[in-house]
């Protein structure tokens, strides 16, 4: 064994931060792990994700799936992970120290998945991967190039779209930019 399987095993028994105390399941992510072009990064598991041990299976995840399907982004083209792998109590925003403690797991996922495009879903992911002072409403929709390995698209969290329909069009347009870049990478345009 080794590699991804060892990572899953270690991460599943992680107790590095206090979030391990309230979790039912560690949520590692879902999708294609064999170098898909796109990695989506959310915030952390919600109630349904904690129960099922699977990422983005609740209402926000269903909305994300609908948008990906509408834009014909194929399941083999992406993996979806979160900044923290255990559900914060009552879905509170994960604390800075919890994020810092959990980041090595996400870094391992980025290093292994080797995405060309990383999509930050919401403020927590944007702050963790782009800039601690990032305001998602200001930076969303524009490509960020911080590394020679991948480009980053910051956008809203799908849960924000459920709360505020006025954000829906921007979210769709941002994911459409991801789709267009993905098609370029795949040699379709
Ligand atoms: N919200 C997230 O940020 N991640 C999930 O997995 C589910 C909801
Ligand atoms: Fe470990 Fe991350 Fe869960 Fe904290 S949130 S216990 S660091 S896997």
């Amino acid at each position: 064994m080794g590699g991804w399987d060892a990572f899953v095993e270690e991460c599943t028994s992680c107790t590095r931060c206090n979030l391990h105390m309230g979790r039912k399941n560690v949520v590692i992510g879902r999708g294609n792990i064999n170098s898909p072009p796109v990695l989506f990064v959310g915030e952390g598991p919600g109630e349904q994700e904690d129960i099922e041990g699977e990422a983005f299976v609740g209402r926000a995840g269903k909305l994300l799936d609908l948008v990906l399907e509408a834009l014909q982004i194929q399941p083999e083209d992406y993996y979806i992970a979160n900044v923290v792998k255990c559900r914060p109590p009552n879905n509170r925003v994960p604390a800075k120290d919890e994020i810092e403690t959990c980041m090595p797991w996400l870094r391992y996922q980025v290093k292994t998945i080797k995405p060309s495009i990383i999509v930050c879903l919401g403020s927590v992911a944007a702050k963790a991967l782009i800039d601690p002072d990032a305001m998602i409403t200001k930076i969303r929709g524009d490509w960020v190039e911080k590394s020679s390995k991948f480009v980053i698209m910051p956008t809203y969290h799908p849960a924000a779209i459920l709360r505020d329909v006025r954000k829906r069009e921007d979210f769709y347009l941002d994911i459409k930019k991801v789709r267009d870049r993905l098609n370029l990478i795949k040699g379709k345009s």
Side-chain angles (χ1 to χ4, degrees):
M1 214 176 66
W4 187 269
D5 289 342
F7 151 69
V8 170
E9 199 173 301
E10 264 188 71
C11 188
T12 303
S13 52
C14 176
T15 55
R16 288 180 196 170
C17 87
N18 283 341
L19 292 181
H20 83 275
M21 292 191 289
R23 76 178 178 221
K24 292 189 173 69
N25 285 290
V26 176
V27 177
I28 288 174
R30 68 170 160 97
N32 180 7
I33 61 168
N34 296 306
S35 302
V38 187
L39 171 65
F40 290 93
V41 181
E43 179 173 322
E47 184 179 22
Q48 202 57 37
E49 290 76 20
D50 182 47
I51 292 169
E52 294 185 36
E54 183 82 299
F56 279 98
V57 289
R59 281 180 70 217
K62 298 231 156 61
L63 174 72
L64 178 63
D65 284 347
L66 274 180
V67 172
L68 298 183
E69 227 176 280
L71 287 165
Q72 294 184 301
I73 297 178
Q74 309 297 327
E76 71 264 21
D77 287 335
Y78 62 86
Y79 186 80
I80 311 182
N82 283 302
V83 171
V84 295
K85 313 303 190 209
C86 305
R87 182 194 180 201
N90 302 313
N91 298 343
R92 67 162 168 75
V93 176
K96 212 166 154 234
D97 63 309
E98 293 159 354
I99 292 171
E100 274 168 21
T101 310
C102 206
M103 275 303 281
W105 297 126
L106 180 62
R107 280 197 205 100
Y108 177 82
Q109 288 175 303
V110 173
K111 205 174 74 190
T112 309
I113 287 168
K114 297 188 194 73
S116 308
I117 300 171
I118 296 181
V119 183
C120 290
L121 297 170
S123 167
V124 168
K127 284 179 158 64
L129 295 174
I130 300 171
D131 172 359
D133 297 320
M135 302 271 292
I136 196 67
T137 47
K138 289 230 171 75
I139 66 165
R140 59 139 283 280
D142 290 321
W143 292 106
V144 177
E145 301 192 22
K146 281 190 57 166
S147 152
S148 57
K149 300 194 179 103
F150 49 76
V151 291
I152 308 180
M153 173 57 71
T155 188
Y156 293 123
H157 193 288
I161 311 307
L162 291 171
R163 287 193 299 267
D164 182 359
V165 289
R166 289 168 302 179
K167 295 192 165 95
R168 195 164 49 184
E169 186 176 357
D170 281 340
F171 180 69
Y172 185 85
L173 292 173
D174 296 349
I175 305 292
K176 192 158 172 280
K177 286 187 187 170
V178 171
R179 193 271 315 269
D180 291 345
R181 191 143 187 161
L182 169 66
N183 282 348
L184 273 180
I185 293 167
K186 293 172 76 178
K188 289 194 273 179
S189 56

Coordinates of all heavy atoms in Angstrom, one line a residue, residues 13-63:
S13 N -8.5 8.5 10.2 CA -8.4 8.3 11.7 C -7.8 9.6 12.3 O -7.3 9.5 13.5 CB -7.6 7.1 12.0 OG -6.4 7.1 11.3
C14 N -7.8 10.7 11.6 CA -7.1 11.9 12.1 C -7.8 12.5 13.3 O -9.0 12.6 13.3 CB -7.1 13.0 10.9 SG -6.3 14.5 11.5
T15 N -7.0 12.9 14.3 CA -7.5 13.6 15.5 C -6.7 14.8 15.8 O -6.5 15.3 16.9 CB -7.5 12.7 16.7 OG1 -6.1 12.2 16.9 CG2 -8.4 11.5 16.6
R16 N -6.1 15.4 14.7 CA -5.2 16.5 14.9 C -5.9 17.8 15.4 O -5.2 18.6 16.0 CB -4.5 16.9 13.6 CG -3.4 15.8 13.1 CD -2.8 16.2 11.8 NE -2.1 15.1 11.2 CZ -1.6 15.1 10.0 NH1 -1.8 16.2 9.2 NH2 -1.0 14.1 9.5
C17 N -7.1 18.0 15.1 CA -7.8 19.2 15.6 C -9.1 18.8 16.3 O -9.6 17.7 16.2 CB -8.0 20.2 14.5 SG -9.6 20.0 13.6
N18 N -9.7 19.8 17.0 CA -10.9 19.5 17.8 C -12.1 19.1 17.0 O -13.0 18.5 17.6 CB -11.2 20.7 18.7 CG -10.3 20.8 19.9 OD1 -9.6 19.8 20.2 ND2 -10.2 22.0 20.5
L19 N -12.1 19.3 15.7 CA -13.3 19.0 14.9 C -13.5 17.5 14.9 O -14.6 17.0 14.6 CB -13.2 19.5 13.5 CG -13.2 21.0 13.3 CD1 -13.1 21.4 11.9 CD2 -14.5 21.6 13.9
H20 N -12.5 16.7 15.3 CA -12.7 15.2 15.2 C -13.7 14.8 16.3 O -14.3 13.8 16.2 CB -11.3 14.5 15.4 CG -10.9 14.4 16.9 ND1 -10.2 15.3 17.5 CD2 -11.1 13.4 17.8 CE1 -10.0 14.9 18.8 NE2 -10.5 13.8 18.9
M21 N -13.8 15.6 17.3 CA -14.7 15.2 18.5 C -16.2 15.1 18.1 O -16.9 14.3 18.6 CB -14.5 16.1 19.7 CG -13.1 16.0 20.2 SD -12.8 16.8 21.8 CE -12.8 18.5 21.3
G22 N -16.6 16.0 17.2 CA -18.0 16.0 16.9 C -18.4 15.3 15.7 O -19.6 15.2 15.3
R23 N -17.5 14.8 15.0 CA -17.8 14.2 13.6 C -18.3 12.8 13.7 O -18.0 12.1 14.7 CB -16.5 14.2 12.8 CG -15.6 13.0 13.2 CD -14.3 12.9 12.4 NE -13.5 11.8 12.8 CZ -12.2 11.9 12.9 NH1 -11.5 13.0 12.5 NH2 -11.5 10.9 13.3
K24 N -19.2 12.4 12.7 CA -19.6 11.0 12.6 C -18.6 10.4 11.6 O -18.2 9.2 11.7 CB -21.0 11.0 12.0 CG -22.1 11.4 13.0 CD -23.5 11.1 12.5 CE -24.5 11.4 13.5 NZ -24.7 12.9 13.8
N25 N -18.3 11.1 10.5 CA -17.4 10.6 9.5 C -16.4 11.7 9.0 O -16.7 12.8 9.0 CB -18.2 10.1 8.3 CG -18.9 8.8 8.5 OD1 -18.3 7.8 8.6 ND2 -20.2 8.9 8.6
V26 N -15.2 11.2 8.7 CA -14.3 12.1 8.0 C -14.7 12.1 6.5 O -15.0 11.1 5.9 CB -12.8 11.6 8.1 CG1 -11.8 12.5 7.3 CG2 -12.4 11.6 9.6
V27 N -14.7 13.3 5.9 CA -15.2 13.4 4.5 C -14.0 13.8 3.7 O -13.5 15.0 3.7 CB -16.3 14.4 4.4 CG1 -16.7 14.6 2.9 CG2 -17.5 14.0 5.2
I28 N -13.5 12.9 2.9 CA -12.2 13.1 2.2 C -12.5 13.8 0.8 O -11.8 14.7 0.4 CB -11.5 11.8 2.0 CG1 -10.9 11.5 3.4 CG2 -10.3 11.9 1.0 CD1 -10.3 10.2 3.6
G29 N -13.5 13.4 0.1 CA -13.8 14.0 -1.2 C -14.5 13.0 -2.1 O -14.6 11.8 -1.7
R30 N -14.9 13.4 -3.2 CA -15.5 12.4 -4.2 C -15.1 12.8 -5.6 O -14.8 14.0 -5.9 CB -17.0 12.4 -4.0 CG -17.7 13.6 -4.5 CD -19.2 13.4 -4.5 NE -20.1 14.5 -4.5 CZ -20.6 15.2 -5.6 NH1 -20.3 14.7 -6.8 NH2 -21.3 16.2 -5.4
G31 N -15.1 11.8 -6.5 CA -14.8 12.1 -7.9 C -13.6 11.3 -8.3 O -13.2 10.4 -7.7
N32 N -13.1 11.7 -9.5 CA -12.0 11.0 -10.1 C -10.7 11.4 -9.4 O -10.3 12.6 -9.4 CB -12.0 11.4 -11.6 CG -10.8 10.7 -12.3 OD1 -10.1 9.9 -11.8 ND2 -10.6 11.1 -13.6
I33 N -9.9 10.5 -8.9 CA -8.6 10.8 -8.3 C -7.5 10.6 -9.2 O -6.3 10.9 -8.9 CB -8.4 9.9 -7.0 CG1 -8.3 8.4 -7.4 CG2 -9.4 10.2 -5.9 CD1 -7.8 7.6 -6.2
N34 N -7.7 10.2 -10.4 CA -6.6 9.9 -11.4 C -6.3 11.1 -12.3 O -6.7 11.1 -13.5 CB -6.9 8.7 -12.2 CG -7.0 7.4 -11.3 OD1 -6.0 7.2 -10.5 ND2 -8.1 6.7 -11.3
S35 N -5.8 12.1 -11.7 CA -5.4 13.4 -12.4 C -6.5 14.0 -13.2 O -6.2 14.3 -14.4 CB -4.1 13.1 -13.2 OG -3.1 12.7 -12.4
P36 N -7.7 14.2 -12.7 CA -8.7 14.9 -13.5 C -8.2 16.4 -13.6 O -7.4 16.9 -12.8 CB -9.9 14.9 -12.6 CG -9.4 14.8 -11.2 CD -8.1 14.0 -11.3
P37 N -8.7 17.1 -14.6 CA -8.2 18.5 -14.8 C -8.7 19.5 -13.8 O -8.0 20.5 -13.6 CB -8.7 18.9 -16.2 CG -9.6 17.8 -16.7 CD -9.4 16.6 -15.8
V38 N -9.8 19.2 -13.1 CA -10.4 20.2 -12.2 C -10.5 19.7 -10.8 O -11.0 18.5 -10.6 CB -11.8 20.6 -12.7 CG1 -12.3 21.8 -11.9 CG2 -11.8 21.0 -14.2
L39 N -10.1 20.5 -9.8 CA -10.4 20.2 -8.4 C -11.3 21.3 -7.8 O -10.9 22.5 -7.9 CB -9.0 20.1 -7.7 CG -9.1 20.0 -6.1 CD1 -9.7 18.7 -5.7 CD2 -7.7 20.2 -5.5
F40 N -12.4 20.9 -7.3 CA -13.3 21.9 -6.6 C -13.0 21.8 -5.1 O -12.8 20.7 -4.6 CB -14.8 21.5 -6.8 CG -15.3 21.7 -8.2 CD1 -15.3 20.7 -9.2 CD2 -15.8 23.0 -8.6 CE1 -15.7 20.9 -10.5 CE2 -16.2 23.2 -9.9 CZ -16.2 22.2 -10.8
V41 N -12.9 22.9 -4.5 CA -12.6 22.9 -3.0 C -13.7 23.7 -2.3 O -13.9 24.9 -2.6 CB -11.2 23.5 -2.7 CG1 -11.0 23.5 -1.2 CG2 -10.1 22.8 -3.5
G42 N -14.4 23.0 -1.5 CA -15.5 23.6 -0.6 C -15.0 24.0 0.7 O -13.7 24.2 0.9
E43 N -15.9 24.1 1.7 CA -15.5 24.6 3.0 C -15.2 23.5 4.0 O -14.1 23.2 4.4 CB -16.6 25.5 3.5 CG -16.5 26.1 4.9 CD -17.6 27.1 5.2 OE1 -18.0 27.8 4.3 OE2 -18.0 27.1 6.3
G44 N -16.3 22.7 4.2 CA -16.2 21.6 5.1 C -17.5 20.8 5.0 O -18.5 21.3 4.6
P45 N -17.5 19.6 5.5 CA -18.7 18.8 5.5 C -19.9 19.4 6.2 O -19.7 20.1 7.3 CB -18.4 17.5 6.2 CG -16.9 17.5 6.3 CD -16.4 18.9 6.2
G46 N -21.1 19.3 5.7 CA -22.3 19.7 6.4 C -22.9 18.5 7.1 O -22.3 17.4 7.2
E47 N -24.2 18.6 7.5 CA -24.8 17.6 8.3 C -24.9 16.3 7.4 O -24.5 15.2 7.9 CB -26.2 18.0 8.7 CG -26.9 17.0 9.6 CD -28.3 17.4 10.0 OE1 -28.9 18.3 9.4 OE2 -28.8 16.9 11.0
Q48 N -25.4 16.4 6.2 CA -25.6 15.2 5.4 C -24.3 14.6 5.0 O -24.2 13.3 5.0 CB -26.4 15.6 4.1 CG -27.1 14.5 3.4 CD -28.1 13.8 4.3 OE1 -28.7 14.4 5.2 NE2 -28.2 12.5 4.2
E49 N -23.3 15.4 4.7 CA -22.0 14.9 4.4 C -21.4 14.1 5.5 O -20.7 13.1 5.4 CB -21.0 16.0 4.0 CG -21.4 16.7 2.6 CD -22.6 17.6 2.7 OE1 -22.9 18.1 3.8 OE2 -23.2 17.9 1.6
D50 N -21.6 14.6 6.7 CA -21.0 14.0 8.0 C -21.7 12.6 8.2 O -21.0 11.7 8.5 CB -21.3 14.9 9.1 CG -20.8 14.4 10.5 OD1 -19.6 14.0 10.5 OD2 -21.5 14.4 11.5
I51 N -23.0 12.6 7.9 CA -23.7 11.3 8.1 C -23.3 10.3 7.0 O -23.0 9.1 7.4 CB -25.3 11.6 8.0 CG1 -25.8 12.4 9.2 CG2 -26.0 10.2 7.8 CD1 -27.2 12.9 9.0
E52 N -23.2 10.7 5.8 CA -22.9 9.8 4.7 C -21.4 9.6 4.5 O -21.0 8.6 3.8 CB -23.5 10.2 3.4 CG -25.0 10.2 3.4 CD -25.6 10.5 2.1 OE1 -25.0 10.2 1.0 OE2 -26.7 11.2 2.1
G53 N -20.5 10.5 5.0 CA -19.1 10.3 4.8 C -18.7 10.7 3.4 O -17.7 10.2 2.9
E54 N -19.5 11.5 2.7 CA -19.3 11.8 1.3 C -19.4 13.3 1.1 O -20.3 13.9 1.7 CB -20.4 11.0 0.5 CG -20.2 11.1 -1.0 CD -19.2 10.2 -1.6 OE1 -18.0 10.3 -1.3 OE2 -19.6 9.4 -2.5
A55 N -18.6 13.9 0.2 CA -18.6 15.3 0.0 C -19.8 15.8 -0.9 O -20.1 15.1 -1.8 CB -17.3 15.7 -0.6
F56 N -20.3 16.9 -0.5 CA -21.3 17.6 -1.3 C -22.5 16.7 -1.7 O -22.8 16.6 -2.9 CB -20.7 18.3 -2.5 CG -20.0 19.6 -2.2 CD1 -18.7 19.7 -1.9 CD2 -20.8 20.7 -2.1 CE1 -18.1 20.9 -1.6 CE2 -20.2 22.0 -1.7 CZ -18.9 22.1 -1.5
V57 N -23.1 16.0 -0.8 CA -24.2 15.2 -1.1 C -25.5 15.8 -0.6 O -26.6 15.3 -0.8 CB -24.1 13.8 -0.5 CG1 -23.0 13.0 -1.2 CG2 -23.8 13.8 1.0
G58 N -25.4 16.9 0.1 CA -26.7 17.6 0.6 C -27.2 18.6 -0.4 O -26.9 18.4 -1.6
R59 N -28.0 19.5 0.0 CA -28.7 20.4 -1.0 C -27.7 21.2 -1.8 O -27.9 21.4 -3.0 CB -29.6 21.4 -0.2 CG -30.9 20.8 0.2 CD -31.8 21.8 0.9 NE -32.3 22.8 0.1 CZ -32.4 24.1 0.4 NH1 -32.0 24.5 1.6 NH2 -32.9 25.0 -0.5
A60 N -26.6 21.8 -1.1 CA -25.6 22.5 -1.9 C -24.9 21.7 -3.0 O -24.7 22.1 -4.1 CB -24.6 23.1 -0.9
G61 N -24.7 20.4 -2.6 CA -24.0 19.5 -3.5 C -24.9 19.2 -4.7 O -24.4 19.1 -5.8
K62 N -26.2 19.0 -4.4 CA -27.2 18.7 -5.5 C -27.2 19.9 -6.5 O -27.3 19.7 -7.7 CB -28.5 18.4 -4.9 CG -28.5 17.2 -4.0 CD -29.6 16.2 -4.4 CE -29.3 14.8 -3.9 NZ -29.1 14.7 -2.4
L63 N -27.2 21.1 -6.0 CA -27.2 22.3 -6.8 C -25.9 22.3 -7.7 O -25.9 22.6 -8.9 CB -27.3 23.6 -6.0 CG -27.1 24.9 -6.8 CD1 -28.4 25.1 -7.7 CD2 -26.9 26.1 -5.9

